Amino acid sequence: MSPPAEEKMEDVKPLAASANSSQGEHGDPADSRFTEFCKNGLSLDDESCRQATKLFSETKHLLQTNVSSLGNGTYEEAERYWFSFVLYCVKRLADKHTESEKEVTDSNGLTLCQILRRAKLNIVDFFKELPQFLVKGGPILSNLYGTDWENRLEAKELHANFLHLSILSKYYKRAFGEFFLVNDATEKNSAASRAGDYASQYHRFGWLVFLALRVHAFSRFKDLVTCTNGLVSILAILIIHIPARFRNFDIHDASRFVKKSSKGVDIIASLCNMYDTSEDDVRKTMEKANNLIADILKKKPCLASECETATLESIDKDGLFYFNDLMEESSLPSCLNILEKDYDDAIRNKGELDERLFINEEDSLLASGSLSGGSMSASGVKRKFDSLASPTKTITSPLSPQCSPASHHANGIPISTTSKMAATPVTTAMTTAKWLRTVICPLPSKPSPELEKFLASCDRDVSSDVVRRAQIILQAIFPSSPLGERCLTGSLQSANLMDNVWAEQRRLEALKLYYRVLEAMCRAESQILHATNLTSLLTNERFHRCMLACSAELVLATHKTVTMLFPAVLERTGITAFDLSKVIESFIRHEDSLPRELRRHLNSLEERLLESMVWEKGSSMYNSLTVARPSLSSEITRLGLLAEPMPSLDAIATHINFSCGGLPPGPSLQKPETLPSQNGDIRSPKRLCTEYRSVLAERNSFTSPVKDRLLPFSNLKSKLPPPLQSAFASPTRPNPGGGGETCAETGINIFFGKIVKLAAVRISGMVERLQLSQQIRENVYRLFQQILNQRTSLFFNRHIDQIILCCFYGIAKISQLNLTFREIIYNYRKQPQCKPQVFRGVFIDWSSTRRNGVCNLIGLPLCFMKSLTLYMILEQRTGQEHVDIITFYNEIFIPSVKALLVELGPGGTTTKANRIPEANNNNDDHLAQCPGSPKISPFPSLPDMSPKKVSATHNVYVSPLRSAKMDALISHSSKSYYACVGESTHAYQSPSKDLTAINNRLNGTRKVRGPLNFDDVDVGLVSDSMVANSLYLQNGSCASSSGAPVKSEQPDS
């Protein structure tokens, strides 16, 4: 039998190994190069240079041990990255004395763009590598700048801002080209070329006015929807001011300008119809833009109705303003210069991006780079944007949400003519915002009569409690701007007002959504319980906060905010990620009109919770785990993982200086939490007892394993969800479903089942990419389950993918496969959920390693004892740190799971029998299998990827596109891709012609310009659910993947 892989791994070298040799050679010279970089390259003043040098000196050892994982792995490039990271952090975090701030400000207007130009790096690569510095240098930053350094640094916000602007600039460029002439580089020395030059200046003028809006009017809340409204309002200003000879449209085009009256074309209403924006919001934003033009450019606005100009012909002038000589060729250069200077003054000393670079052609800062190990392109920016909007979306994964069959009607909102255009992140955001505007906003901002009945039917009337709580929590999530934040003069007063108005609008939207879903939940709960008294649910503080947080998160996701990215709602409401996971599936279930994009967002959040957030320090999952698995309590306590008590509602109200606004102060809505049992139950809100765990393994692969939607299996439809209120019961309370379990035990078992299902999906994807056999897949899956149940502490403070990757390498070595860690990581990079920090920064507590590691070596055969030397060396290391995954594998993973690996190797049964006494003598109780742990299950049935017939009358087959094929496609978050095979009626011509022929055959003689329509002429497009049902109903209950080795695409070269 081959020993486990801890002996010696020739192909596995620590990612930072190549850097160690450079330490002596580059130590002192690196200091001098950094000083030269600061003074001669960026002209930093002495104080800023001193602070930068201090941070560089304290983090230099991290650079020297992480060279190979930065950029292309050379010391020279890694050094340039490190210089940039240090200067960016110092710029954002360094304390400035009030009396000297102005002097420093005047002499040091350093921006991120200047730093990157000096370092010869682009923005994409900077943000790709920055997390490494922040994770590994976090303790140093905390010591130098305080524990709140991460919030003050705003790196995630700046990255999201970059992605937003990348998308908005392309959106604006495309829209500008639809209305005006654009510069054609092929035209030289001609009138057309000169016209293109002027058009380019008009294009720049519009972008600079947009940036002025962002700086002076939008202020903190630069969300995508508000910015899109701003761009549409600027398009209207350009249309009525740019000379008519530069137009690329006919004002009488009825297909484009659909809103008309006897006075002419309503230009704003027509643009709003074209771009799915709110007419009221665009008019208000246009008013702000006009005021900025008047203030900054000193132009006097005139009523358009009083002006006679060619640009206003056939346009309804009511409510429009016109600026004389604003965009004439003679005045345009001076206007551009003034706008440029205003922007320079606005961004000085903020250390932020110079947002003008998005319209600078061939700007080196926007050069091609890599976001996740692949090439960076326009589609790459869009995919990265999607991952921010939906943190861990896996389009091809069975965790992707199922599309409602009625989704082509946009949840009751008829698809407009613009739906024929290719979907983009902006158009998707505007469609989702339209749902919020047309479905949620008209609702009342107080409980409906039916909801009031439920609230009044409790042991006491809790209506005032619910209203007061909602106001306090939503005020905490969407705070109004404190008056002390900025001087209320001029345009800054407008910015403050804009903040307050924006926050109030978002609070109302979240409040209305909260009441709507709460009513639906109460209605369903009363039907299950056959009673209207829902006291235990409606008086549960944690439940309501989770519901409010979920509502607010959907509002934030709709508007695509930059400043309040998830998990901001958790921090402001006092709940944990594990708390939120208890209501996500119920929220989706009880809001039928929820757009598909928002369903995807909630699904992706839940996937993010499962993979890492619930394992982080301070998760309430640990409080329940101590009840369900008492043997783990000592390790949990030693690492300080338990969640803090949830802050009281009164404490939150005091913190935000909340005023009840005439509402009587409510009674105490919760008891102080001091014990784990008071931390709220973590049971799934949908499963009453153990039988519901079996549902998980039978899931339709096109739905998330944590979603219980309509499934194409009749035997599942009869299973009703348990009462929701039992999900928030005390963990120590007996499970109402029986079986002798506490609520904590049932909840943890269900939670572990979800983890295992998610792992199965990811293991299957990796097996396909690596072209491994079914037996390897089974062994990796079995090992993962055993680790989860018997070595649970390996997951603490870690990402489940880190365990999965180690399982692959361990099984490969025990099976004598020629598979290197490099190959595993190379293929993992192609997975849609991949983040480089997963394999570059794995948490290690060295004290735990010393205590448990040597103990695990006692009693092993002599061939394993060489590892003892390794652990004696580890005695010299202390504290906690993040290391690369290979170091984690060698020093933590293998010593802990060696016995489990041996059992899975050749002759494992014999070895297992020989090792039973040693396992029983293990003194580490937290490593032993816990009573009540689920039994190890075989690999679940995942969907067969082979084509399935989906039409009863035509030979048309459909299958989900393989993940390896997806890599080459530009996918969008609102679409799923399928490979289609139709019967051949003629020789191959082209994909376009052949697909047209398939369409025509499927739809008879009717001319079709849309997607496939299989057998129902009323169906406009193929939904995920239709394909999913077809895939499963054709083959029974998805018994598909057994019997043959799993095949895969060839690895990309």
Side-chain angles (χ1 to χ4, degrees), residues 114-230:
Q114 291 173 331
I115 296 171
L116 295 183
R117 290 189 197 280
R118 176 68 178 89
K120 298 180 182 178
L121 299 172
N122 65 64
I123 298 171
V124 173
D125 287 337
F126 174 82
F127 281 117
K128 173 195 168 186
E129 304 292 353
L130 180 61
Q132 277 197 84
F133 177 82
L134 300 182
V135 168
K136 297 181 179 180
I140 297 172
L141 292 171
S142 183
N143 291 335
L144 291 176
Y145 302 112
T147 56
D148 65 338
W149 66 268
E150 192 169 4
N151 291 332
R152 290 161 49 207
L153 189 65
E154 296 182 329
K156 293 179 181 178
E157 289 79 0
L158 189 63
H159 189 194
N161 188 52
F162 167 73
L163 296 171
H164 277 194
L165 287 166
S166 299
I167 293 164
L168 288 166
S169 62
K170 293 177 176 63
Y171 180 84
Y172 170 61
K173 182 178 182 179
R174 183 169 57 251
F176 186 90
E178 292 174 356
F179 289 101
F180 306 103
L181 299 174
V182 293
N183 191 14
D184 187 352
T186 62
E187 298 286 348
K188 297 181 180 179
N189 300 322
S190 65
S193 178
R194 289 192 296 274
D197 290 340
Y198 280 116
S200 178
Q201 293 185 55
Y202 292 134
H203 178 263
R204 187 173 188 84
F205 177 91
W207 186 255
L208 289 174
V209 175
F210 169 67
L211 295 185
L213 269 175
R214 284 171 57 85
V215 169
H216 299 298
F218 297 164
S219 189
R220 292 182 300 154
F221 301 111
K222 299 179 179 70
D223 64 280
L224 193 65
V225 172
T226 299
C227 289
T228 303
N229 289 334

Side-chain angles (χ1 to χ4, degrees), residues 750-948:
I750 292 172
F751 167 67
F752 278 13
K754 294 177 182 180
I755 295 290
V756 167
K757 180 67 173 181
L758 177 59
V761 172
R762 296 188 174 180
I763 290 170
S764 181
M766 286 292 292
V767 165
E768 179 186 338
R769 291 190 186 279
L770 291 166
Q771 294 184 290
L772 301 176
S773 68
Q774 179 183 344
Q775 184 59 48
I776 296 297
R777 183 186 68 172
E778 291 284 351
N779 285 343
V780 171
Y781 181 67
R782 181 179 179 85
L783 178 60
F784 180 89
Q785 290 184 85
Q786 289 178 321
I787 294 172
L788 181 63
N789 294 325
Q790 301 177 40
R791 305 289 190 270
T792 311
S793 60
L794 276 180
F795 286 83
F796 294 175
N797 271 325
R798 298 188 179 108
H799 194 292
I800 69 166
D801 286 359
Q802 294 165 346
I803 308 301
I804 291 174
L805 295 177
C806 290
C807 287
F808 267 101
Y809 189 80
I811 292 296
K813 287 303 174 184
I814 205 74
S815 304
Q816 300 181 359
L817 286 182
N818 184 23
L819 179 65
T820 66
F821 230 129
R822 183 181 298 275
E823 290 177 84
I824 294 173
I825 292 176
Y826 172 78
N827 284 276
Y828 175 72
R829 283 177 176 271
K830 299 178 183 179
Q831 292 293 97
Q833 82 278 1
C834 171
K835 292 185 178 67
Q837 52 265 41
V838 169
F839 51 84
R840 289 176 175 173
V842 189
F843 173 82
I844 283 186
D845 183 301
W846 292 112
S847 60
S848 176
T849 301
R850 292 198 310 273
R851 192 166 56 86
N852 300 327
V854 177
C855 171
N856 288 338
L857 294 174
I858 297 174
L860 291 177
L862 184 61
C863 64
F864 296 146
M865 291 305 294
K866 63 179 70 177
S867 296
L868 184 59
T869 303
L870 171 65
Y871 282 91
M872 293 176 66
I873 294 173
L874 293 182
E875 288 286 342
Q876 303 173 9
R877 307 184 69 168
T878 60
Q880 300 174 347
E881 65 174 313
H882 289 80
V883 301
D884 61 77
I885 194 167
I886 296 173
T887 302
F888 166 72
Y889 177 90
N890 283 327
E891 303 181 357
I892 304 296
F893 183 83
I894 277 296
S896 179
V897 306
K898 182 181 302 180
L900 303 179
L901 265 176
V902 169
E903 294 174 7
L904 294 173
T909 304
T910 304
T911 306
K912 177 180 178 181
N914 293 336
R915 285 192 47 78
I916 287 179
E918 296 158 16
N920 290 339
N921 289 331
N922 192 339
N923 293 323
D924 293 313
D925 293 337
H926 67 282
L927 296 179
Q929 179 157 354
C930 303
S933 296
K935 294 182 179 180
I936 303 302
S937 61
F939 198 89
S941 296
L942 295 178
D944 189 356
M945 300 298 286
S946 59
K948 299 294 181 296

